[in-house]
């Protein structure tokens, strides 16, 4: 099973995320971060003990799957790779 990480923009300079095993069963993080990359890093810090892979979404749009280690090692590069030309960074 891969958890689903969904990052959402609260406003242009504020992001939050939710985690779930299915899209309908999400747990809101409750914290806010200045960048989407910081959301990846924070979620990765909590997930790395339990999961190797995670599915990533941005505002509900599926971006792909990656290793939790990559979230910890290169959150900026990972986010840029996932959104590519689909979303503005």
């Amino acid at each position: 099973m891969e958890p689903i990480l969904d990052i959402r923009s609260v406003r242009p300079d504020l992001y939050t995320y939710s985690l779930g095993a299915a899209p309908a069963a999400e747990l809101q993080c409750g914290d806010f971060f200045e960048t989407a990359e910081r959301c990846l890093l924070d979620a990765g810090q909590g997930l790395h003990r339990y999961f190797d892979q995670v599915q990533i979404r941005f505002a509900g749009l599926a971006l792909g799957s990656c290793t939790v280690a990559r979230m910890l090692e290169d959150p900026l590069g990972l986010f840029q790779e996932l959104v590519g030309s689909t979303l503005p960074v």
Side-chain angles (χ1 to χ4, degrees):
M1 175 187 78
E2 288 184 0
I4 299 168
L5 168 64
D6 191 3
I7 299 171
R8 297 190 181 275
S9 177
V10 177
R11 59 180 200 233
D13 61 343
L14 198 64
Y15 298 83
T16 191
Y17 67 87
S18 60
L19 288 169
E26 294 181 342
L27 174 63
Q28 297 295 321
C29 141
D31 291 324
F32 298 96
F33 305 92
E34 58 280 346
T35 66
E37 298 82 21
R38 182 65 178 99
C39 288
L40 284 171
L41 179 62
D42 188 74
Q45 289 170 339
L47 292 170
H48 82 278
R49 289 182 217 141
Y50 308 103
F51 299 98
D52 294 325
Q53 294 275 130
V54 63
Q55 294 178 33
I56 299 178
R57 298 177 183 207
F58 188 80
L61 176 67
L63 299 179
S65 182
C66 75
T67 65
V68 175
R70 176 89 191 275
M71 293 169 58
L72 296 171
E73 295 164 3
D74 184 22
L76 176 60
L78 173 61
F79 187 72
Q80 290 175 339
E81 179 182 311
L82 288 170
V83 297
S85 61
T86 306
L87 299 171
V89 178

